[in-house]
C-alpha cells in the first residue's frame, strides 16, 4: 500500500482505497476530520447544527457561534408569508395523481377546461423583439448554443420593456429569481450605452437608477461584481419572494423611485409570489395626483411606449415617510406551470367564478406539463433541477404524466393542446388579477419555440382608465 502524500492526511479511506487528500497542519499527521486518530487529541462529535460535519468536543461552544449552518438574524424586510395567499385549508388538499383518475373523471376535467377557456380574453400574440445593446454579444462566435439561447431571450425581454416605455432612468428594476443577475446586467448595459442628450450629462452619477436582485439561494458566478464601483446602486437580497416586504427594503425607501418588476423564467408559484409582492405589499405607495411625466426613452415605440400613472387609491402605510415608489409595470417570462400552488395562486377568484376550485387547479397544473414535456423523445429524462431555485434557467420540466387511461383516448398532439389550454387558463387568472388592480396586461410569445418551449412573456402597465381617474 502506497504511503500518504507529503503534507496530506495519513488516514486511509477503506471505501475509496486511498489516503485522505486533505492538507494537514504543521506538525500534524491527520486532518481535522480524522484528528481523533492523533494521540492525545480530543474526541470529535457530530455538529448539532449540521450532521454533515464534525467538531472537537472541547471546542463545540466556539464552533456553534461561527458555524455556517447556524440560524442567522433575519433582515428587516423578511416578513414571514407576507406574499402567501390565505391559508384557508384548500392548500392542504391531498394531491391526486392523474394516474389515479378514471377515464370518466379525466373526461369531466377536460369538459370543465374547455368550458372555462371559452371566450377567455387572453390570447397569446407572437411578438419577438430585440434590443441593440445585446447585438454585439449575440454576434460573438465564442458564445455556445446555450449562451446564445439565453441572450436571445434577454434581448427580447429588453425589447418589450423598451416598447412599453419601461426601460429608462428614474426607476428601480426589481429582478425576481435573479440567479446570476444577467437580466439586470443587460438592463444596466442598455441604459449605459443609450445616447440620450437629456441624460448624457448624468451618466456618471446614476443617481436615478437602482437595480434590486432577489434570489432565495446562494448563487455562483454572479455578475454583480462587474458593477462594483460604477456608481449605480446594485443590491442583492437573498430571501424567498414569499417572505419579502418591499416596503421595508432600505434601498427602495431612500429615493422612492417607481418600481419595474422583471424576471426570466420565474418558476411556477414564484410568479404568483412576485405578483403579490408587487401588487399587495401593504406599504407600497400609490399615487393619487396627476400621472407622472413619462421619462424619455430612446425612441417611442408607438402608443404602448406611453406609460400611464400608477394605480390610484392610497394604501394604508403606518409610516408614510418610508416607502418605495409606485409600481410602473412588469415583464416576467413564465415557466413551469406544473409547479404552481393553489394557496399562492393570484387567480383564485378567477377560477371560482368559473365554478373551479383547488382540486381542478391541481389537475390542470399537472396537465400543463403536457404542453412542453410531451415533445421530449421517449426515454429521455429531464435534467436535474435545483429545488432551492425559484427560476427555470435551464428550462427543466418534469416529464408528462403518462397513464394508460390518458393514452387510451388522447393522442400526443391532443395532450400537447390540452397542456397549452391549461397554461392559458392559469395565466388568464394572473391577467385577471392584474386588471383588477388597474393594469393592462398581455401575454406574448417573446421568442421562437426553438429557443425555448417556455416562450411566453407576461407584461403589464397601468391602464389608461387608471391614469384618467387619477388625474
Amino acid at each position: 500500500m502506497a504511503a500518504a502524500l507529503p503534507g496530506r492526511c495519513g488516514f486511509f479511506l477503506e471505501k475509496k482505497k486511498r489516503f485522505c487528500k486533505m492538507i494537514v497542519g504543521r506538525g500534524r499527521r491527520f486532518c481535522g476530520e480524522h484528528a481523533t486518530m492523533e494521540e492525545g487529541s480530543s474526541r470529535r462529535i457530530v455538529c448539532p447544527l449540521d450532521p454533515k460535519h464534525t467538531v472537537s468536543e472541547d471546542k463545540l461552544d466556539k464552533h456553534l457561534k461561527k458555524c455556517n449552518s447556524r440560524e442567522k438574524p433575519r433582515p428587516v424586510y423578511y416578513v414571514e408569508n407576507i406574499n402567501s395567499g390565505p391559508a384557508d385549508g384548500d392548500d392542504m388538499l391531498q394531491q391526486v395523481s392523474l394516474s389515479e383518475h378514471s377515464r370518466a373523471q379525466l373526461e369531466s376535467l377536460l369538459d370543465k377546461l374547455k368550458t372555462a377557456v371559452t371566450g377567455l380574453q387572453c390570447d397569446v400574440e407572437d411578438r419577438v423583439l430585440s434590443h441593440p445593446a445585446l447585438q454585439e454579444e449575440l454576434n460573438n462566435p465564442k458564445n455556445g448554443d446555450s449562451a446564445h439561447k439565453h441572450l436571445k431571450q434577454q434581448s427580447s425581454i429588453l425589447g418589450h420593456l423598451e416598447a412599453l416605455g419601461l426601460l429608462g432612468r428614474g426607476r428601480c428594476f426589481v429582478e425576481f429569481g435573479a440567479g446570476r443577475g444577467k437580466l439586470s446586467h443587460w438592463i444596466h448595459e442598455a441604459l449605459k450605452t443609450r445616447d440620450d442628450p437629456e441624460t448624457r450629462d448624468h451618466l456618471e452619477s446614476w443617481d436615478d437608477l437602482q437595480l434590486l436582485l432577489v434570489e432565495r439561494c446562494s448563487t455562483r458566478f454572479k455578475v454583480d461584481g462587474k458593477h462594483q464601483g460604477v456608481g449605480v446602486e446594485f443590491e442583492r437580497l437573498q430571501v424567498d419572494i414569499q417572505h419579502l416586504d418591499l416596503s421595508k427594503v432600505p434601498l427602495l425607501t431612500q429615493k422612492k423611485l417607481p418600481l419595474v418588476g422583471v424576471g426570466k423564467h420565474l418558476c411556477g408559484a414564484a410568479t404568483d409570489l412576485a405578483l403579490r409582492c408587487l401588487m399587495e405589499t401593504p406599504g407600497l405607495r400609490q399615487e393619487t395626483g396627476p400621472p407622472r411625466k413619462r421619462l424619455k426613452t430612446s425612441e417611442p415605440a408607438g402608443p404602448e411606449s406611453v406609460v400611464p400613472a400608477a394605480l390610484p387609491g392610497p394604501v394604508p402605510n403606518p409610516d408614510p415617510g418610508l416607502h418605495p415608489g409606485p409600481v410602473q409595470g412588469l415583464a416576467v417570462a413564465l415557466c413551469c406551470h406544473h409547479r404552481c400552488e393553489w394557496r399562492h395562486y393570484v387567480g383564485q377568484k378567477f377560477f371560482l367564478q368559473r365554478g373551479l376550485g383547488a382540486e381542478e387547479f391541481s389537475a390542470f397544473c399537472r396537465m400543463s406539463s403536457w404542453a412542453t414535456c410531451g415533445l421530449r423523445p421517449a426515454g429521455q429524462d429531464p435534467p436535474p433541477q435545483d429545488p432551492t431555485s425559484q427560476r427555470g434557467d435551464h428550462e427543466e420540466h418534469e416529464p408528462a404524466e403518462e397513464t394508460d387511461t390518458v393514452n387510451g383516448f388522447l393522442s400526443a398532439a391532443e395532450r400537447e393542446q390540452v397542456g397549452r389550454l391549461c397554461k392559458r387558463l392559469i395565466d388568464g387568472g394572473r391577467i385577471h388579477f392584474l386588471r383588477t388592480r388597474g393594469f393592462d396586461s398581455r401575454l406574448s410569445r417573446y421568442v421562437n419555440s426553438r429557443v425555448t418551449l417556455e416562450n411566453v412573456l407576461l407584461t403589464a402597465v397601468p391602464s389608461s382608465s387608471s391614469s384618467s381617474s387619477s388625474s
Side-chain angles (χ1 to χ4, degrees):
M1 182 174 62
L5 295 173
R8 304 287 175 162
C9 180
F11 183 81
F12 187 77
L13 304 170
E14 290 291 343
K15 289 185 178 180
K16 297 184 178 181
K17 303 300 181 184
R18 63 168 175 80
F19 284 94
C20 173
K21 296 181 179 180
M22 294 291 289
I23 298 175
V24 298
R26 182 177 299 177
R28 298 284 184 178
R29 184 184 172 191
F30 298 100
C31 68
E33 281 297 307
H34 303 119
T36 52
M37 307 299 296
E38 204 94 45
E39 292 185 8
S41 61
S42 62
R43 187 169 72 95
R44 292 187 72 84
I45 59 174
V46 174
C47 175
L49 299 179
D50 184 2
K52 294 180 180 179
H53 66 271
T54 60
V55 59
S56 296
E57 188 175 21
D58 59 350
K59 298 180 180 178
L60 178 61
D61 292 339
K62 182 178 180 181
H63 171 78
L64 293 179
K65 295 178 181 179
K66 61 180 182 179
C67 179
N68 289 333
S69 298
R70 72 189 186 282
E71 185 176 356
K72 300 176 179 63
R74 291 175 175 173
V76 65
Y77 48 78
Y78 182 100
V79 179
E80 189 167 359
N81 292 325
I82 186 174
N83 298 316
S84 298
D88 53 7
D90 287 335
D91 58 313
M92 302 301 294
L93 179 72
Q94 184 178 2
Q95 299 294 316
V96 180
S97 171
L98 293 180
S99 61
E100 298 178 31
H101 287 76
S102 66
R103 176 165 179 164
Q105 289 174 319
L106 288 173
E107 288 177 336
S108 175
L109 284 170
L110 292 179
D111 288 339
K112 290 181 179 180
L113 174 64
K114 293 174 183 177
T115 301
V117 298
T118 301
L120 192 62
Q121 297 180 349
C122 62
D123 293 333
V124 184
E125 61 176 356
D126 292 312
R127 200 156 188 252
V128 179
L129 302 179
S130 62
H131 195 279
L134 288 89
Q135 198 57 49
E136 182 178 350
E137 195 66 20
L138 281 166
N139 295 332
N140 188 346
K142 294 182 180 179
N143 288 319
D145 291 340
S146 178
H148 195 257
K149 174 186 67 174
H150 291 296
L151 286 169
K152 278 189 173 181
Q153 296 173 65
Q154 292 153 355
S155 179
S156 185
I157 292 175
L158 261 66
H160 279 268
L161 289 171
E162 187 80 78
L164 292 169
L166 298 176
L167 188 63
R169 305 283 289 274
R171 298 165 176 83
C172 175
F173 292 88
V174 184
E175 183 180 359
F176 294 98
R180 294 175 58 194
K182 281 283 191 175
L183 187 55
S184 292
H185 165 76
W186 286 115
I187 289 174
H188 174 259
E189 290 297 307
L191 297 179
K192 183 175 69 174
T193 58
R194 171 168 292 162
D195 186 18
D196 188 341
E198 291 187 11
T199 60
R200 187 183 301 155
D201 295 337
H202 308 287
L203 285 177
E204 294 183 359
S205 66
W206 293 99
D207 287 336
D208 58 347
L209 177 66
Q210 297 171 331
L211 294 120
L212 184 68
L213 289 73
V214 181
E215 176 60 68
R216 71 178 179 183
C217 60
S218 179
T219 307
R220 300 177 65 191
F221 310 119
K222 298 184 287 289
V223 298
D224 310 19
K226 296 181 179 180
H227 301 279
Q228 298 298 325
V230 297
V232 63
E233 293 188 76
F234 232 89
E235 184 167 324
R236 177 178 288 266
L237 307 181
Q238 187 174 331
V239 61
D240 194 308
I241 305 170
Q242 183 175 346
H243 312 301
L244 173 60
D245 185 347
L246 285 177
S247 67
K248 295 182 179 180
V249 178
L251 177 71
L252 303 186
T253 59
Q254 292 169 2
K255 297 174 183 175
K256 306 176 179 60
L257 297 179
L259 307 183
V260 177
V262 296
K264 177 176 170 290
H265 290 288
L266 200 53
C267 205
T271 294
D272 299 297
L273 294 172
L275 293 179
R276 290 185 185 275
C277 186
L278 283 170
M279 303 295 167
E280 294 189 340
T281 297
L284 277 180
R285 175 171 60 90
Q286 303 295 343
E287 291 191 339
T288 56
R292 293 176 61 91
K293 180 180 179 181
R294 183 178 67 86
L295 296 178
K296 183 178 177 65
T297 55
S298 55
E299 286 294 336
E304 292 175 341
S305 62
V306 179
V307 180
L311 175 65
V315 176
N317 186 2
D319 187 352
L322 294 175
H323 44 63
V327 178
Q328 201 169 47
L330 62 91
V332 173
L334 305 174
C335 179
C336 299
H337 293 70
H338 58 271
R339 296 183 65 186
C340 294
E341 299 177 31
W342 175 252
R343 178 182 178 182
H344 304 317
Y345 182 52
V346 296
Q348 288 187 14
K349 186 177 294 185
F350 172 83
F351 258 62
L352 294 173
Q353 289 174 350
R354 284 158 175 74
L356 306 172
E359 185 176 348
E360 290 82 7
F361 178 80
S362 175
F364 293 156
C365 286
R366 291 173 178 269
M367 291 179 179
S368 69
S369 67
W370 294 348
T372 54
C373 298
L375 302 180
R376 180 180 292 119
Q380 179 177 332
D381 295 327
Q385 184 168 350
D386 179 4
T388 65
S389 178
Q390 292 183 326
R391 50 198 321 266
D393 239 2
H394 305 289
E395 287 117 51
E396 55 289 88
H397 311 289
E398 296 173 0
E401 204 173 332
E402 304 290 353
T403 69
D404 292 337
T405 306
V406 174
N407 289 330
F409 73 105
L410 286 180
S411 65
E414 289 172 330
R415 288 198 298 275
E416 182 184 341
Q417 177 61 19
V418 168
R420 294 187 184 281
L421 290 179
C422 290
K423 285 177 174 287
R424 182 182 171 196
L425 183 63
I426 294 170
D427 292 336
R430 291 164 170 167
I431 289 179
H432 176 267
F433 170 82
L434 289 166
R435 287 174 178 170
T436 59
R437 269 107 183 124
F439 283 75
D440 282 334
S441 181
R442 67 170 61 182
L443 299 171
S444 306
R445 294 186 189 89
Y446 73 107
V447 289
N448 192 284
S449 60
R450 291 189 296 272
V451 176
T452 173
L453 295 176
E454 294 282 19
N455 62 341
V456 175
L457 184 73
L458 173 68
T459 58
V461 291
S463 64
S464 55
S465 58
S466 295
S467 299
S468 59
S469 62
S470 174
S471 59

